[in-house]
Amino acid sequence: MIDDETPVLDNHLHLDPDNHRGIDAVRDFARLGGTHLLVVNKPSWHLEVEAEAGEEFRPVFERTIEIVEDATEELEGRAWPVLGVHPGLISRLVDDRGYDPDEAREIMHGGIDVAAEYVARGEALALKSGRPHYEVSEAVWEASNAVMRHAFERGAELDCAVQLHAEAGEEMTEVAEWAKAAGLPAHKVVKHYAGGRLEGPVPSVMSEKDRLEVAAERGEPFLMETDYVDDPDRPGAVLGPKTVPRRVAWMLENGLDEAVRIAHIETPKMVYGIDTVETLERA
């Protein structure tokens, strides 16, 4: 059972009120005890934006900010936007639209730069970047790593976190070193869709019981997420919006109170500088 003083944060999900459930998904999350959300913009092409320059990502970011404002109205805590460029865009640009990898890199750099404007104004909390989690050519891989390192540079300038979409694994120390070389501390780099064990970035653990047990046993900083996609064409994809509060209740019932505190109070403050207790109206 989740008490009234326990914040419950889903660190990574998407909302699409124009095409699917949108605020109804937020209400499901809140009804089960969820209090805080980090809402990541959907891939630009899912919103029919085929950007040729950074400025053309702006409608994607603006719509995400609007969604977050509506979501906050439904929560005892609040929601924040995370804005950036999905790394899978590089394949769409190169394979489907005929750009070479260097041209695609520049378009994606531009999108990161526009996202950074919103962070600088306090309208977004963090940046999103990464690299493909599937096999690509060496040129595309190098361009993708350059985009990710550019995001680290912008994150360092803004003192904000960068969420990464990247390949699965338990070791990304090289990536964390790239961030540190750019001036961004490793604890401000978050690997979304992570398992319970990860060296390098902070893991945002998919909220499955076995992964959470591993994370809890380690006692290291971690976050919890669903990666809910809010896509009518993929209704059973990833995890639903009720999952994080349900898993928090399960963790508390099984004596994992310290892990809940780490994931929902300590780590959000360390990574993003947010206070999930202070922003909890019901506390």
Side-chain angles (χ1 to χ4, degrees):
M1 183 70 179
I2 302 172
D3 65 37
D4 286 346
E5 297 183 357
T6 301
V8 176
L9 168 73
D10 187 332
N11 181 67
H12 186 110
L13 86 167
H14 308 274
L15 296 173
D16 190 347
D18 302 311
N19 298 298
H20 202 37
R21 299 196 64 219
I23 295 303
D24 284 341
V26 177
R27 291 177 181 138
D28 282 351
F29 173 75
R31 270 195 295 270
L32 271 75
T35 62
H36 295 78
L37 294 171
L38 265 61
V39 181
V40 183
N41 62 265
K42 295 192 80 170
S44 50
W45 63 94
H46 287 195
L47 301 183
E48 299 182 355
V49 171
E50 299 289 359
E52 297 180 358
E55 279 297 315
E56 296 178 18
F57 290 92
R58 202 173 291 278
V60 177
F61 302 152
E62 296 279 0
R63 188 66 184 112
T64 305
I65 290 168
E66 291 172 0
I67 294 163
V68 166
E69 291 171 352
D70 292 342
T72 292
E73 294 298 314
E74 303 292 332
L75 297 170
E76 296 286 352
R78 61 161 294 180
W80 292 271
V82 175
L83 305 180
V85 180
H86 192 287
L89 177 62
I90 197 165
S91 296
R92 191 171 182 88
L93 290 169
V94 172
D95 297 340
D96 300 343
R97 295 174 57 194
Y99 289 95
D100 69 38
D102 289 341
E103 292 170 331
R105 180 196 66 215
E106 290 307 309
I107 292 170
M108 295 171 75
H109 276 192
I112 295 292
D113 289 341
V114 172
E117 293 177 21
Y118 292 94
V119 177
R121 293 197 297 265
E123 297 175 39
L125 182 66
L127 296 173
K128 165 192 175 177
S129 186
R131 62 190 184 191
H133 63 274
Y134 47 87
E135 188 172 344
V136 294
S137 69
E138 184 176 350
V140 166
W141 184 249
E142 290 177 357
S144 298
N145 281 326
V147 173
M148 182 168 57
R149 295 175 83 153
H150 184 68
F152 293 156
E153 291 168 2
R154 300 313 310 268
E157 293 168 8
L158 296 162
D159 190 28
C160 78
V162 178
Q163 283 199 17
L164 299 181
H165 176 113
E167 70 278 6
E170 296 185 350
E171 196 274 325
M172 293 186 73
T173 53
E174 182 181 42
V175 168
E177 290 299 324
W178 290 349
K180 287 191 282 186
L184 185 69
H187 70 262
K188 287 187 173 290
V189 181
V190 177
K191 167 65 171 70
H192 121 83
Y193 211 109
R197 182 180 292 104
L198 180 65
E199 299 300 326
V202 172
S204 182
V205 178
M206 283 296 288
S207 296
E208 297 161 343
K209 291 181 179 179
D210 56 344
R211 298 189 188 211
L212 293 172
E213 286 173 336
V214 171
E217 184 176 319
R218 292 184 76 218
E220 298 290 330
F222 75 101
L223 297 151
M224 290 172 59
E225 69 165 80
T226 56
D227 191 25
Y228 176 64
V229 295
D230 204 12
D231 186 340
D233 295 327
R234 301 170 63 205
V238 206
L239 300 176
K242 300 177 184 178
T243 308
V244 167
R246 282 176 169 163
R247 293 292 184 263
V248 168
W250 167 78
M251 291 167 77
L252 294 171
E253 289 165 6
N254 286 274
L256 300 177
D257 304 54
E258 177 64 10
V260 169
R261 188 178 65 81
I262 289 171
H264 298 275
I265 299 175
E266 284 192 358
T267 307
K269 183 174 285 189
M270 179 187 77
V271 173
Y272 303 110
I274 58 177
D275 191 326
T276 54
V277 174
E278 187 176 287
T279 52
L280 185 59
E281 293 179 5
R282 72 189 189 193

